[in-house]
Amino acid sequence: MNKVGASLLLSSCLLVLGCGQSAPSALVRSEVVAPGAECPAGGTRLSFGVDADRSGALEGEEVSTSTFVCNGEAGAAGSRGETGSPGSPGAAAVNPTVTPVSSAGDAGNCVGTGGVKVQMGNGPATYVCNGASGTTGASGETGAAGESATVTPVSSAGEAGNCVGTGGVKVQVGNGPAVYACNGEAGAQGNDGPSGFNSLIFMNDEPVGLNCPAGGLRLDVGLDDGEGGGVERDGTLQSGEIDQTRYICGTYAPVFRSFAVPPTSAHTVDVTVGTPWTGEVPMSVAWDGTNYWFATGTDRQGGRLIKTDASFNHVASYGDPGDTGNYRSVTTQVDGVPPLLVTRAWDESISSVSESNGAITLTPVSRLDTSPGVCYSRDPALSWDPSTSEWIGRTGDTYHRFDTSFGYLGAFVFTNDPINSSLPVSIVAHKGRILAYMNDTNSLAVFSRDGVKLEELALPDGPDVAFGMSIANGKLWLADFTSSPMSFKAYDVLE
């Protein structure tokens, strides 16, 4: 075989090894050609094609193209020439390069199928593309169903001498031999673990406040594990050991008993005592531990502070026709403990009250000032809420919260407010709840501290319209300006 034939044979081997296995491979076959029409001096024929039947040999019907590499014809014998000088080494033989082509194709060839590119030196490239994937063959017939396996528990008594003392399971396929999987032997007992922490439950009284408006019990639950800086296993539940807290609260169920204050006799606190203003009406009442103080006012100017003893005997009246006090709310921060605080209409001022030599002095303390520069309210009211240490103040038809020094904290919002705003309505704080007089139903609504209405209670012998509401000497007072004479009504609040 000549050098060309050997080179082509090597090329064909490279082509076979370079083909992919997922689709039929491209092959090259070389054959020696006897002298004839294609190659007068004989040569080699190269056949290219796809191994469609994957036989590993390129058969006649698989050949897609052929080319010939011919031997040169023998020339006539020349005369013997002189021996020439040695020539320079000739150029190396050119072997074909075979390059795989992916399914992306190369120069538009073998797109989607891939194949190989064959090139002799710098000559033109020849592409041999893989055949397209054939259609999926039909599914084969379903094989016969296998026999089911049964798994049967085996007790520690064993079965057929297997798993005695441990128990396990027996696995059997059809009627075949049984296989036993036995439990392992019991291991030695491990060492005792550390003792767990005891659970502790501590029960304490819960005072009247936001958690229990009528008081109740507080249950603290946790482990005696020393968390949070506590001491473990000391039998005491410290604050850092508390995991849960629950409250069992008493029921808030006020019962009212009313009586008019005072009787219409010579010394009363109705507004006909002393020198009344035209249109003077009752507003509020406070108790300083010794005396009652009743505030009255009018629509524009004037009003009085009327002082009585504990039996409602008149002691003094402060306020003359020339006075522009126009009092609205008189109160104490703690029921029965001075000093007195009063609010006045139109300027929303808050003043402390001192009495000396038959006269009173008002010392400004603050103002119920929520919107400086706007029209002042004619009906400012003030009530202390001991459950939150806050003042509840009314300006116009809006209620607001203030700290101990009357710093503004924000509006007090009734989330389901049924209050009739056509007439003034008062509220007072009482044992963690907010009590509000309802003009339209002549009743008392009880609200939670976050403004949710809890219940509405009828007021026996209640006033038709009440301008003001107060807590004084443990009683709930309503200023009744529809009675004759106009007076105050007090209710015992029993819980």
Side-chain angles (χ1 to χ4, degrees):
M1 181 183 295
N2 59 25
K3 291 183 179 181
V4 173
S7 298
L8 292 175
L9 179 59
L10 177 58
S11 299
S12 66
C13 294
L14 292 175
L15 287 171
V16 172
L17 292 175
C19 294
Q21 299 300 316
S22 59
S25 301
L27 297 179
V28 178
R29 183 180 67 195
S30 64
E31 300 170 284
V32 177
V33 178
E38 290 83 1
C39 289
T44 302
R45 179 171 61 190
L46 296 178
S47 299
F48 301 88
V50 175
D51 186 12
D53 60 0
R54 294 180 173 85
S55 66
L58 189 62
E59 297 165 353
E61 65 272 19
E62 295 174 337
V63 175
S64 60
T65 185
S66 297
T67 187
F68 293 87
V69 181
C70 298
N71 299 325
E73 295 180 6
S79 59
R80 183 180 184 87
E82 295 180 359
T83 302
S85 58
S88 58
V94 177
N95 294 323
T97 58
V98 180
T99 307
V101 176
S102 70
S103 59
D106 184 351
N109 298 284
C110 302
V111 176
T113 62
V116 293
K117 178 177 75 171
V118 180
Q119 190 171 18
M120 301 293 291
N122 294 323
T126 300
Y127 292 87
V128 181
C129 300
N130 299 326
S133 299
T135 58
T136 302
S139 300
E141 294 183 2
T142 303
E147 294 184 284
S148 299
T150 57
V151 180
T152 308
V154 176
S155 70
S156 60
E159 181 179 294
N162 297 284
C163 302
V164 176
T166 62
V169 292
K170 178 178 72 173
V171 181
Q172 189 172 20
V173 178
N175 295 320
V179 176
Y180 292 86
C182 302
N183 299 326
E185 299 285 345
Q189 181 173 344
N191 297 326
D192 293 338
S195 299
F197 297 107
N198 292 329
S199 294
L200 300 178
I201 301 177
F202 273 55
M203 181 171 62
N204 295 287
D205 291 332
E206 179 66 18
V208 171
L210 291 179
N211 296 321
C212 283
L217 296 176
R218 171 184 168 130
L219 300 180
D220 293 323
V221 181
L223 295 177
D224 190 10
D225 55 6
E227 286 192 4
V231 179
E232 66 178 44
R233 307 182 196 279
D234 64 347
T236 301
L237 189 64
Q238 283 116 21
S239 59
E241 297 174 326
I242 296 175
D243 296 323
Q244 296 184 37
T245 297
R246 294 291 185 270
Y247 298 94
I248 302 176
C249 298
T251 302
Y252 187 90
V255 178
F256 300 98
R257 182 177 70 249
S258 68
F259 54 94
V261 179
T264 56
S265 57
H267 296 288
T268 67
V269 294
D270 67 68
V271 296
T272 60
V273 173
T275 307
W277 286 79
T278 301
E280 185 177 3
V281 295
M283 287 294 178
S284 59
V285 59
W287 169 252
D288 65 7
T290 304
N291 300 100
Y292 286 105
W293 292 80
F294 297 88
T296 68
T298 66
D299 186 51
R300 288 293 173 185
Q301 291 183 339
R304 292 179 294 162
L305 288 178
I306 303 171
K307 178 182 178 182
T308 76
D309 61 18
S311 299
F312 309 112
N313 297 308
H314 185 272
V315 175
S317 295
Y318 298 104
D320 298 314
D323 182 16
T324 59
N326 208 353
Y327 303 111
R328 287 296 185 263
S329 178
V330 59
T331 187
T332 58
Q333 184 168 354
V334 179
D335 186 21
V337 180
L340 291 175
L341 294 175
V342 295
T343 63
R344 293 189 292 181
W346 306 114
D347 67 355
E348 299 175 348
S349 64
I350 304 170
S351 302
S352 64
V353 180
S354 59
E355 183 184 25
S356 178
N357 299 323
I360 61 171
T361 301
L362 302 183
T363 303
V365 174
S366 184
R367 290 179 60 243
L368 295 178
D369 188 358
T370 59
S371 300
V374 302
C375 180
Y376 298 132
S377 168
R378 73 174 188 173
D379 296 310
L382 189 64
S383 177
W384 174 251
D385 186 352
S387 67
T388 58
S389 298
E390 293 178 1
W391 291 100
I392 302 259
R394 176 183 175 211
T395 57
D397 293 326
T398 306
Y399 296 91
H400 304 276
R401 298 166 42 244
F402 302 86
D403 62 21
T404 304
S405 301
F406 297 101
Y408 185 61
L409 299 177
F412 184 91
V413 179
F414 294 95
T415 59
N416 55 344
D417 183 4
I419 295 178
N420 181 354
S421 61
S422 62
L423 290 174
V425 176
S426 291
I427 68 172
V428 294
H430 182 64
K431 296 197 172 183
R433 301 293 175 96
I434 301 298
L435 308 182
Y437 175 72
M438 314 295 289
N439 286 317
D440 51 351
T441 57
N442 190 28
S443 60
L444 188 72
V446 182
F447 290 85
S448 66
R449 191 56 183 76
D450 55 3
V452 177
K453 183 181 175 184
L454 303 176
E455 56 183 331
E456 191 168 342
L457 308 170
L459 289 175
D461 303 321
D464 291 333
V465 177
F467 264 137
M469 185 162 57
S470 310
I471 296 288
N473 201 12
K475 295 178 174 61
L476 175 69
W477 297 75
L478 293 177
D480 181 6
F481 74 92
T482 62
S483 60
S484 180
M486 290 183 285
S487 61
F488 293 83
K489 286 189 174 182
Y491 296 82
D492 288 337
V493 183
L494 307 177
E495 291 140 308

